[in-house]
Amino acid sequence: MRRHPTLAVQVRDRLRALIAERGLRPGDRLPSENELIALFEVGRTSIREALKLLEQEGVIQARHGDGRYLTSQPSLDRPLTRLEGVTEMLASRGHTADNTVLDITAAEPDRHQRELLQLPAGEAVVRLERLRRHEDDALLYSVDLFPRSLIARPLDEVDWTGSLFRLLTEHGHNVAYAVAQVRAVTLDETQAERVASPRDGAWLLLVQTHHDSAGRPLLYSEDYHRGTDFSFHLVRRRD
C-alpha cells in the first residue's frame, strides 16, 4: 500500500517550490507565517511543521523576532538510509547547482569493474564524471559506472547533466536499493585539479552499488561531497 505524504511534508515541498519560483537566494527572508497561510490555504500548525522540517534540513534558519531566512550556504544533511539521486536531493532541498560533465566515455571494463557490475564478456562500461558547483564553488564531484547496454541511444545524444536515476528509469531500469559505504577522504592531486579545489579540504566519499529489484547491479557510483556542506545521519536501534 502506497503511503501519501503528510500535509506538513506537502507544504514543505510547496515551500521549496516557492523558494525556487521566486528566485530566493541565501540570506533572503521567507514570507511570514500569515502570508504563507493565505498563500497555501492551510492552518498555522501545518505551516510551522513544514518550516520546522526545512530548518532540520538546513534549508532555512529562524531569527528570533525577525522571521526565517534561507541559510547562507548549502547545508545538506542526508539520511543515509534514504536512497536518492544527487540531482533529486539538491532539488528537494531548494538548492540549485551547475552540473558540469567533465567526461563521458564507453570502454572495456577492468576486472574490478566487471565484477562489481557482473558484466558478461564483451560488455562495455560507461564512465560518467561530473561536477556540481554552487556559486562557483565545487560542491560535489561524482564518478558513475554502468553497463553500456542500459542506454540504447548514442552517448552524444543524451543530456548527461540531469538525473541519472531518471534516465535509467526512462530506459526501463529502476534502481530499487543500494549497498553503500561512507568515509572521510581528501582528494588526490588529479581529482583536486579536476574540481579546482585545495587538496587539504575534507570530503565525504559515498561509494554505492545500485541494484534493481531482482538484485542486478545497475550502477556503481563514487560521490565526493564537500565536507563543509554535507552531513549524513541514520537511526541506530538496540536489539
Side-chain angles (χ1 to χ4, degrees), residues 70-126:
L70 286 186
T71 52
S72 59
Q73 62 180 13
S75 178
L76 302 166
D77 183 30
R78 303 178 65 183
L80 196 56
T81 52
R82 179 181 178 185
L83 179 58
E84 57 183 346
V86 172
T87 303
E88 292 88 348
M89 179 270 296
L90 290 170
S92 71
R93 285 150 179 79
H95 297 302
T96 58
D98 295 326
N99 193 356
T100 302
V101 176
L102 301 179
D103 190 39
I104 173 73
T105 56
E108 180 73 15
D110 61 28
R111 180 178 177 181
H112 179 59
Q113 294 168 351
R114 188 176 298 283
E115 291 176 352
L116 278 173
L117 296 173
Q118 298 178 15
L119 297 172
E123 171 84 42
V125 66
V126 174

Side-chain angles (χ1 to χ4, degrees), residues 11-23:
V11 174
R12 178 203 62 185
D13 293 342
R14 293 177 66 186
L15 278 167
R16 289 174 177 154
L18 180 69
I19 290 169
E21 290 168 3
R22 295 192 176 183

Side-chain angles (χ1 to χ4, degrees), residues 185-193 195-203:
V185 299
T186 56
L187 301 180
D188 62 31
E189 185 174 353
T190 300
Q191 292 169 330
E193 290 179 358
V195 305
S197 177
R199 284 194 60 189
D200 56 357
W203 295 73

Side-chain angles (χ1 to χ4, degrees), residues 37-72:
I37 290 170
L39 183 62
F40 294 155
E41 298 181 342
V42 296
R44 189 176 301 276
T45 298
S46 296
I47 292 293
R48 287 183 174 175
E49 289 177 352
L51 290 169
K52 190 65 177 178
L53 290 173
L54 291 181
E55 287 181 37
Q56 293 171 350
E57 293 167 1
V59 177
I60 65 174
Q61 60 182 350
R63 298 180 187 175
H64 184 67
D66 192 31
R68 296 173 177 85
Y69 291 77
L70 286 186
T71 52
S72 59

